[in-house]
Amino acid sequence: MARFLFSAFADEASADILEQISACKANGIEYIELRNVNGKNISNFTVDEAKELKKTLDENGMKVSSIGSHYGKIEITDDFAPHFEAFKNTVAVAKVLEAKYIRMFSFYFTKGESFEEYKDEVFARLGAMADYAFENGVLCCHENEKEIYGDIPERCLQIAEYFGEKLGCIFDPANYIQSGADTAEGFKMLKGYITYMHIKDAVAGSGNVVPAGHGDGHLEEILRELDKNEREYILSVEPHLKVFDGLAALETDDKSAEGMNKEYVYPDNNASFSAACSAIHEMIEKKIQPVRFGIIGVGNMGSSHIQMHLEGKHRELRFVACADINPKKLEAAKKLMPSLKTFDSAEELIDSGEVDAVIIATPHYDHSPIAQYAFKKGVHVLTEKPAGVYTKQVREMNEAAAKTDLVFGIMYNQRTNCVYRKMRELVQSGELGGIKRVNWIITDWYRTQAYYNSGGWRATWAGEGGGVLLNQCPHNLDLWQWICGMPVKIRAFCHEGKWHDIEVEDDVTIYAEYANGATGTFITTTGDCPGTNRFEITLDGGKLVCEDNKLRLYKLDGMTSEHLRTCENGFEKLSGEWIDVETDGMNKQHSEVTNKFAAAVLRGEPLVAKGEEGIRGLSISNAAHLSSWLGKEVTVPVDEELYYSELQKKIASGTAEKKNVSEQVQSDMSSTF
């Protein structure tokens, strides 16, 4: 997913810079593309004047996206030397204003000059400016414009290919339309070169400028294509819906002015500016990225979701808010993504009306009550794993979800892994017969004491409700039941604080039995280094082995159930062969879960995992805990009241004191997936 940043030529709202800033803020515009400031063109500013302007911008929290200069807006036959000298000063101004870009053009051809005859001169002039700016850490960006060399996509492509990284490309749909070009075809040519967009639409034929999406610029189609890229794009609104101060100085004729106020009439420039901004907001926020997400809990996992969003890994959604009870974590989240609105509690965020859905990334006990509150308020819920601490609590959450038509999902991102998807497909197909034995040794969850000291709630019965089973292994327990089905009996040994100074389990062995007589073992710990991750499923017709993220199948030439009964040789084995199982190679993890959640909200498409399914893996961990606490075999599902009662005893008897707690937030959690 692309991250769209909104900018604007706010001089179309007012000549006064403070009023420009006010107009931007009132219309949800984060950046400004400077052109005319207090009646003076930005290209004529001195460095000292730029420093004063920067102070004003900083005091009002406004950043500059680009210098909307007029360089290249002279005749190709005009003297270039004074133009270039002025340009050098504007590069210095751009650096003072911390603008990454300077807009430029490729010279007018209004006197009938031959494009081919003057092509070399155009490129020489562009090259002089582009090289100078590039050497000074600023990128010149060429904008298409009627009556200049780069008026149509074909010649803009020549420019882009020739200059490469030294010259950016601005795509202005209205200007292409006014030059008789098809913007959809032009975009196909230039999409790999576009640095940022000017948001201006127009009607083919008349050339009249209209709000974004109301003309023939194919803006929605173009922005949908850009949204497929994992990068940042500035969308700079250039309204041109009403004549504004300074327009005459920007054009060689009055064609732009003639193209305004034909279809859309506004009482003043501020109103026309607002209309232009509203049009692009509506397109992005209601059509391209329509689902508004809030993140509740911005510790490690919540911050990781923000980081993935910033990397452009999401579709049809945007993160707009976050909540946490820790002000420092809110501050850190704002540094990652300044546009986020922050709230001191989950309830405040949910009540705000700012979000359509929430991701719950809080400590485990809070998942159920927050989800239930969200359901009451009509907000969709995607919860992190585990679904909760005990099944009684999770069942209440599931029942609350069932009373609504809201989307409820759980972040079982490992279900997106091609290896596990293929294992499930092979097992569920019945091609290999029934399951006989399951063994999963998953001991590569190594954690140091510093990890457990990173949060006061970690590794406590009261704060987390469990250890390795509830924190590291919910994905594995989910995959175990998702692929093999639910066991009916559990006998487990959960060693508490065996390798770390904690009160919960950090070393576990589970023995399971299935309704068909199959058995299974599940061994895990956070104390082994190096660890092992080997998942074996023995079936009637072969054996699946998943290790090192590779899947192998030993395919027998028959079924053991038949062969062992009918074979006359007591030592004869079924023949077979090892096969490296092919998968589709896809493993999109959290982003796919989130993207499919948004698709479910919008169109009812299938989720990766329904939230209600979270109770299954939790039933296994609850059974393991209860079995270990009672010292005997238990059935699945467990007696929920008994489990809750025993858990309260563990909480009451918790004695481990957290020493040297050092709060940490790690936004990149990819190594833990």
Side-chain angles (χ1 to χ4, degrees), residues 15-41:
D16 183 271
I17 187 60
L18 292 177
E19 291 181 4
Q20 290 181 30
I21 293 170
S22 178
C24 285
K25 290 185 174 181
N27 289 282
I29 304 296
E30 307 164 72
Y31 294 82
I32 189 169
E33 182 153 358
L34 290 170
R35 185 168 53 192
N36 285 291
V37 178
N38 296 331
K40 186 173 184 177
N41 190 284

Side-chain angles (χ1 to χ4, degrees), residues 358 360 362 364-376 381-404 406-412 610-616 618 640:
V358 291
I360 302 174
T362 60
H364 309 151
Y365 279 105
D366 296 330
H367 291 185
S368 178
I370 292 174
Q372 291 184 61
Y373 189 83
F375 292 139
K376 287 180 182 178
V381 172
L382 176 58
T383 183
E384 271 293 341
K385 55 79 182 172
V389 174
Y390 49 94
T391 57
K392 177 182 177 182
Q393 180 190 47
V394 172
R395 194 175 302 283
E396 292 170 354
M397 177 172 64
N398 290 353
E399 290 170 354
K403 295 176 182 177
T404 75
L406 296 166
V407 177
F408 179 31
I410 188 166
M411 189 62 73
Y412 279 150
K610 294 180 179 179
E612 293 85 350
E613 295 178 38
I615 200 168
R616 298 176 187 169
L618 185 63
E640 292 181 350

